[in-house]
Amino acid sequence: MSDAAPLIAVDILTGFLGSGKTTLIRRLVEGGCLRDTAILVNEFAALPLDQRLIALSGGSARVVGNGCICCVVDGSVRDALIDLAERRASDEIPPFSRVLIETSGIADPAGLVATLALDRRLKPRFRPGRVVTLIDLVEDETPIEAISPEALSQIVCADLIVLSKADLAPAASPDAIMRRVTGLNPLSQIVVDDGLLDPFDRTAFPEAPGRPQPGRSFIAAPAAPRHDAIRSGVLRIAGPVDWQAFATWLSLLAHRHGGKLLRLKGTLTLSGGDGRPVLVQSVRHIVHRPEHLPADSAPDGLELVVILRDLEPALLQRSLEAFLRAGRVPALSATG
Ligand SMILES: Nc1nc2c(ncn2[C@@H]2O[C@H](COP(=O)(O)OP(=O)(O)OP(=O)(O)O)[C@@H](O)[C@H]2O)c(=O)[nH]1
């Protein structure tokens, strides 16, 4: 790469668990808005599910880091960016003019922003782009910034805040959430997602010259990762699963234990079904609409990523197995 080559903007898409980051990327890919963009996806959990979903939308994303981006930013994220730049320079991959990083839902993006601005090896090739933070309008009683310090940092770091899932939100909620979020980050623009929005479109959302450049106002050593109480794991059941029994288990679980069940997503094949896997997702107390995926796009049986607070994945595995056997949700006690 010559010295005169323009710096590549690295945009960051962040937002708490289940706020709609992958859904937005899939929509932008399908709408052709990310044609010139290299996509990097970081997941807290062990399965590259978001990468698979982006591929089903016709995009190609590379997974970075095994764990939260705030914990791996100086290692695998930096290496992935350097590798991208080198492969682009040697024509190994199609040219791209920007990079989009989807952080995991419990990542503190401050460290990534600081690394992009300051890292000696990244600075000659990349520049910090914009930080877009999604906030789910379907909130529990507890605001997300009270659930996790990472969620607070996601709001504070944002250049543009997008309020997602407006179709599911009670009519009054955008105003209340907007006021709260403006109090936390008065510099950020806030918009409600209308289903068509492209928050990375520089024409619709120019980088305001009078504002501090992205990241400049928040270059600080990232807080030590604080995921202590948060566990992730993968629940597995071999072979097809009865949909009625599974759906009942999930809705009872989300209803009773949604405060601890921060996120659940994955696929299952159904007994008596047509073989197509079903994508199921829940975000705290809300179970989202399941989606049929094309045949052979996911493993047979059930494979679910769970991200839990103060709850062990093994306990959920036992609960699911017992429910599928007995048709009821056993108490989530230590004895399972
Ligand atoms: N009704 C509705 N559902 C949405 C919308 N956006 C996302 N969802 C659903 O919300 C769930 C979570 O969306 P994702 O896009 O996977 O969220 P995410 O932020 O990528 O999740 P993590 O990577 O786990 O943090 C999925 O079931 C989506 O279908 C929306 O605008 N309206």
Side-chain angles (χ1 to χ4, degrees):
M1 169 178 289
S2 92
D3 287 347
L7 297 179
I8 301 167
V10 181
D11 290 333
I12 299 170
L13 177 60
T14 189
F16 200 57
L17 291 165
S19 52
K21 300 178 291 296
T22 306
T23 304
L24 175 62
I25 291 183
R26 289 175 74 190
R27 186 175 90 203
L28 296 178
V29 166
E30 284 162 15
C33 307
L34 298 181
R35 269 193 284 261
D36 64 342
T37 305
I39 306 170
L40 300 179
V41 176
N42 168 247
E43 292 203 60
F44 185 66
L47 297 180
L49 196 59
D50 291 350
Q51 183 193 31
R52 268 189 231 154
L53 293 175
I54 291 169
L56 287 177
S57 293
S60 139
R62 173 167 162 185
V63 176
V64 281
N66 180 16
C68 226
I69 212 157
C70 47
C71 310
V72 297
V73 65
D74 286 337
S76 35
V77 177
R78 185 179 47 194
D79 293 349
L81 286 169
I82 291 168
D83 183 56
L84 269 182
E86 285 170 353
R87 291 171 61 205
R88 172 182 183 256
S90 59
D91 293 330
E92 271 179 63
I93 52 174
F96 57 89
S97 61
R98 61 183 168 149
V99 176
L100 174 58
I101 301 182
E102 177 189 347
T103 76
S104 89
I106 53 165
D108 176 349
L112 177 55
V113 171
T115 295
L116 290 172
L118 300 175
D119 186 89
R120 205 169 37 84
R121 294 185 64 201
L122 295 181
K123 266 175 31 175
R125 294 150 157 153
F126 298 99
R127 67 178 177 85
R130 72 177 40 159
V131 179
V132 172
T133 299
L134 292 192
I135 300 181
D136 188 332
L137 277 169
V138 191
E139 272 199 334
D140 290 338
E141 281 162 18
T142 317
I144 41 150
E145 67 272 16
I147 294 178
S148 114
E150 291 81 10
L152 176 61
S153 181
Q154 291 167 357
I155 295 172
V156 173
C157 287
D159 299 294
L160 178 63
I161 289 174
V162 177
L163 302 178
S164 61
K165 306 190 192 175
D167 57 315
L168 297 180
S173 56
D175 288 348
I177 293 181
M178 273 188 188
R179 272 197 302 278
R180 209 182 73 228
V181 168
T182 306
L184 295 169
N185 180 350
L187 288 176
S188 173
Q189 281 178 274
I190 307 180
V191 287
V192 177
D193 185 12
D194 59 2
L196 299 171
L197 185 86
D198 174 0
F200 301 102
D201 177 355
R202 263 58 177 183
T203 311
F205 302 104
E207 284 170 26
R211 294 190 46 212
Q213 284 301 296
R216 300 295 183 277
S217 55
F218 204 75
I219 293 177
R226 281 169 282 191
H227 312 312
D228 298 357
I230 297 183
R231 299 266 175 284
S232 88
V234 181
L235 312 186
R236 288 195 168 89
I237 301 281
V241 168
D242 178 72
W243 173 252
Q244 214 52 52
F246 172 78
T248 309
W249 174 80
L250 180 57
S251 57
L252 287 173
L253 187 74
H255 180 69
R256 287 187 200 166
H257 301 287
K260 295 179 175 181
L261 178 66
L262 298 179
R263 187 79 167 99
L264 174 149
K265 58 181 171 180
T267 54
L268 60 154
T269 42
L270 307 182
S271 35
D274 59 7
R276 284 184 301 158
V278 177
L279 173 69
V280 288
Q281 310 210 37
S282 75
V283 181
R284 300 191 293 287
H285 295 284
I286 307 288
V287 178
H288 282 281
R289 204 172 39 205
E291 181 184 335
H292 274 288
L293 300 181
D296 301 324
S297 58
D300 271 342
L302 173 147
E303 206 175 62
L304 291 182
V305 170
V306 288
I307 302 181
L308 310 168
R309 188 177 49 190
D310 299 326
L311 196 59
E312 287 300 325
L315 220 51
L316 275 198
Q317 173 78 33
R318 291 207 292 276
S319 160
L320 174 59
E321 285 170 4
F323 187 78
L324 292 177
R325 269 196 314 268
R328 67 184 173 80
V329 179
L332 291 174
S333 66
T335 54

